[in-house]
Amino acid sequence: RREQARLRAGVVEEDTEEWQKDPHFTGLERVGGVDLSYSKGDESRACASLVVLSYPALEVLYQDCRMVPVTAPYVAGFLAFREVPVLVEAVQRLQREEPQLQPQVLLVDGNGLLHPRGFGTACHLGVLTDLPCIGVAKKLLQVDGLVRDELHREQIRSLQRSGETFPLTGTSGKVLGMVLRSYNNSSKPLYVSVGHRVSLDTAVRLVRACCRFRIPEPIRQ
């Protein structure tokens, strides 16, 4: 918890790059996606993936997928301590071997500020790499009074078209993220939250711009 709180102080919750302030993201050329997938029946091994796509064409420029040992146990609210070290290694490998392909922003399969202590995997990775990061989750993390109750399901049903959203406001009054219908043909939304060096509005716009299907292309790839 102390380490989380120390790193949490480094999170920047607003846009820091010129391309983020442009309605068409002019100047954005490379978008990365990261994910960790565990072996079925063996939580001690996982496949760590980092993919970099061109923007706006969303063509794969770089991919690094490798099986890695996972030594830290799973503890709710501390998942980043289990996953982020191998993702940081993947980013550092890219910076060493193909520095011209470094992503200008990372989409993370997980949460950012939408977390019990406001410091999910996307924040953790962002602070350690100092790259703009966005949390993109497939399920609602029930924190700060947010619950997947009938009201929440009703709000999801009200999202009729791709690009429609509603805010996730906790009982504290803080907006922790945004629910986004990312794809017309899927009624299952995404839960987008700020990771680091990006505003929530920019995060939602970029995630939507990267979706050919429900899951944004950098993470889907």
Side-chain angles (χ1 to χ4, degrees):
R1 280 176 185 264
R2 275 199 304 272
E3 178 71 354
Q4 246 177 6
R6 183 182 72 77
L7 293 169
R8 171 73 180 84
V11 172
V12 176
E13 297 180 34
E14 61 257 2
D15 295 328
T16 60
E17 309 302 295
E18 283 307 308
W19 62 261
Q20 294 169 327
K21 297 158 190 170
D22 184 284
H24 304 292
F25 296 130
T26 305
L28 176 62
E29 297 175 354
R30 296 172 308 282
V31 180
V34 293
D35 192 9
L36 215 69
S37 306
Y38 293 90
S39 301
K40 279 199 167 66
D42 182 6
E43 289 282 291
S44 68
R45 285 178 62 69
C47 181
S49 304
L50 164 62
V51 179
V52 182
L53 273 58
S54 63
Y55 187 88
L58 301 178
E59 290 168 349
V60 176
L61 302 175
Y62 173 92
Q63 50 191 355
D64 178 356
C65 303
R66 55 185 70 195
M67 294 303 294
V68 294
V70 180
T71 51
Y74 170 70
V75 181
F78 297 95
L79 180 66
F81 288 95
R82 183 173 163 87
E83 299 193 343
V84 165
V86 292
L87 297 177
V88 169
E89 281 174 20
V91 171
Q92 289 171 340
R93 245 190 327 272
L94 165 59
Q95 289 168 332
R96 267 196 321 273
E97 296 167 11
E98 304 270 4
Q100 75 284 5
L101 294 180
Q102 168 159 300
Q104 291 159 278
V105 59
L106 280 174
L107 271 54
V108 180
D109 183 27
N111 290 293
L113 296 179
L114 183 56
H115 177 271
R117 284 170 299 286
F119 196 70
T121 303
C123 297
H124 206 127
L125 184 63
V127 170
L128 292 184
T129 60
D130 200 33
L131 289 172
C133 281
I134 298 169
V136 184
K138 297 184 279 291
K139 293 182 184 150
L140 174 67
L141 191 61
Q142 303 194 357
V143 299
D144 194 15
L146 296 172
V147 285
R148 195 178 162 77
D149 57 9
E150 188 48 43
L151 173 62
H152 184 76
R153 287 190 283 270
E154 184 57 44
Q155 287 177 301
I156 289 172
R157 285 193 289 271
S158 76
L159 303 176
Q160 294 296 307
R161 287 190 304 279
S162 134
E164 292 187 351
T165 61
F166 66 86
L168 285 166
T169 308
T171 49
S172 63
K174 186 172 169 65
V175 176
L176 301 175
M178 200 70 86
V179 182
L180 166 70
R181 180 160 182 164
S182 57
Y183 183 52
N184 272 336
N185 292 0
S186 174
S187 58
K188 290 181 176 176
L190 296 174
Y191 296 89
V192 180
S193 57
V194 168
H196 183 53
R197 292 178 56 189
V198 64
S199 68
L200 184 56
D201 176 60
T202 298
V204 171
R205 284 195 303 120
L206 182 61
V207 169
R208 189 195 173 199
C210 289
C211 285
R212 287 178 176 159
F213 303 98
R214 179 193 172 212
I215 305 298
E217 212 57 16
I219 292 175
R220 196 179 79 89
Q221 290 288 348

